[in-house]
Amino acid sequence: MSSYIEPAANLSEAWLRTVEHVANEGGHAVNVITTINDPLAPETEGIRAALDAVLAVPRKKVRVQPVETVAGTIFPRDIYADTGIMFVPGMDEESLAKLDASAADLYECYGEMLPILTTDSANRRGTYFGRMVSWPGKTGGGANQLADRIRHFRSARTRNVSQRNLEDIAIAGEAETGDPLDGLQIYAASDLREYGFPCLVHVDLTLYQNHISMAATYRHQYLVTKAYGNLLGLSRLLSFLAQQTGYEVGELMVNATFADAEHSNYTKAGVAELITAARGAA
C-alpha cells in the first residue's frame, strides 16, 4: 500500500518521518512519498548528528559511507566553484561568463574524474552525477543532460515563462533506445538483464509559479545508509539548477517504490534506537 509522508519543512525532518513510518510498517513499504517543502532550509543538527554517529560505525554486511559522500554522488558540491551569481535575463556579459564558467568547470572536472571513480567496484556502471553530465556516465564527453536542461530553462526564463513540465533527467538505462536528451531512458525489449544499479532511476523537473520543483524516483531506497545523503544531494542539485536558470527553488519529492529501513543490517532494535536518538534531538 502506498504511503504519503506528511510534508516537512526541511530534509532532516522529512528523512526522520520517513524512517519512522517505514519502521512502524515492519521495516519495508512500497511507494513511499517523501516531500520537503523547502529543500534549502537548514538541516536539523541533532537529527544529522544522530545519523552520523550510526554511520561512523563500520558494518560487516553493508558498505557504509558518510552522508556527504552519498550526497556527492548526486551533486559534487566540493568541486563546484560557486560564484554566488544567479542567472537573470539580460544580465551583463561579464557576470554571465563567470556563471557559465563555473558550470563548465564543474562538468569538465567531473568528466576528468570519471575514469578514476569508475575503478571503484561500486561505480563500475557509472555514477549518478556522471550520468547527468556525461551519459552514460563512465567517461567524460558524453551527453550533458544538465547543460541541456539549463539551456531550456534559461530560454523559458527569458521569455517570462512561469510554468511548464517538459524537463527530466534520466539516470537508469544501459541498453536503452532513444536519445538521452529526449527524456526517460527505456530498456531495449531484447534486454533480459536484471539491474541493481541505479537505485535512482529518474528525476523530473516541473516549473510552476516561477519555482522549479523536483520529483525523484528510487526503485530501492535504503533509509539508514543512503536516504539522508540522497535528499541532501538532490537538494543541492535543485539549488544549482535554480541558480543557473534564474528560477526559485520549489519543493522536493521522492518516491521510493521500495523503502527499506534496513532492519537486516542494523536490526529492528538498532533502527528504533536511531529513531529515538534523532527524535530526541529534533
Side-chain angles (χ1 to χ4, degrees):
M1 180 181 295
S2 61
S3 304
Y4 182 66
I5 309 301
E6 181 183 359
N10 69 1
L11 68 91
S12 303
E13 181 63 27
W15 169 80
L16 182 53
R17 290 179 185 179
T18 303
V19 179
E20 287 174 328
H21 173 79
V22 176
N24 288 336
E25 290 293 305
H28 296 111
V30 298
N31 292 330
V32 178
I33 305 295
T34 301
T35 305
I36 306 170
N37 291 330
D38 182 2
L40 302 189
E43 297 173 62
T44 303
E45 293 182 4
I47 295 176
R48 172 71 179 270
L51 176 60
D52 284 339
V54 170
L55 296 180
V57 180
R59 309 291 298 185
K60 292 182 178 180
K61 296 181 180 180
V62 61
R63 184 177 184 181
V64 180
Q65 297 174 311
V67 166
E68 288 294 337
T69 300
V70 175
T73 65
I74 297 174
F75 186 78
R77 186 181 64 169
D78 289 347
I79 62 171
Y80 176 51
D82 190 349
T83 62
I85 299 171
M86 187 170 185
F87 176 79
V88 178
M91 65 192 302
D92 66 90
E93 292 184 2
E94 182 179 356
S95 295
L96 180 60
K98 290 180 180 179
L99 182 63
D100 288 345
S102 67
D105 288 346
L106 170 64
Y107 305 147
E108 181 179 1
C109 181
Y110 199 83
E112 293 174 350
M113 292 169 55
L114 271 173
I116 298 173
L117 293 173
T118 52
T119 61
D120 188 315
S121 59
N123 299 330
R124 66 186 185 278
R125 294 176 181 163
T127 66
Y128 292 138
F129 192 71
R131 289 182 171 215
M132 295 181 201
V133 301
S134 183
W135 182 270
K138 295 182 180 181
T139 61
N144 190 329
Q145 299 184 78
L146 278 191
D148 186 71
R149 288 358 179 214
I150 288 169
R151 178 173 58 83
H152 290 172
F153 273 123
R154 282 188 181 182
S155 175
R157 182 75 178 86
T158 300
R159 291 180 284 112
N160 201 31
V161 175
S162 63
Q163 63 185 52
R164 58 184 274 162
N165 183 235
L166 299 174
E167 312 295 342
D168 53 25
I169 302 170
I171 308 297
E174 289 281 353
E176 67 282 298
T177 60
D179 187 329
L181 296 185
D182 286 339
L184 179 64
Q185 303 303 298
I186 56 176
Y187 295 122
S190 59
D191 185 6
L192 301 180
R193 292 172 292 176
E194 294 181 330
Y195 290 88
F197 174 87
C199 288
L200 171 61
V201 295
H202 190 67
V203 175
D204 188 79
L205 304 170
T206 298
L207 176 62
Y208 182 63
Q209 295 181 342
N210 287 311
H211 288 67
I212 299 177
S213 291
M214 176 182 290
T217 299
Y218 281 82
R219 64 172 120 218
H220 194 147
Q221 179 79 297
Y222 295 94
L223 296 178
V224 177
T225 55
K226 299 292 186 182
Y228 196 108
N230 289 337
L231 292 175
L232 184 58
L234 289 169
S235 296
R236 290 171 177 172
L237 175 63
L238 183 53
S239 176
F240 171 76
L241 287 167
Q243 178 188 19
Q244 290 287 329
T245 62
Y247 287 108
E248 299 297 322
V249 171
E251 71 173 29
L252 169 61
M253 185 275 283
V254 172
N255 173 29
T257 58
F258 185 75
D260 184 354
E262 298 188 74
H263 286 172
S264 61
N265 294 325
Y266 288 90
T267 75
K268 183 176 181 179
V271 173
E273 289 177 5
L274 169 59
I275 291 172
T276 298
R279 181 52 69 198

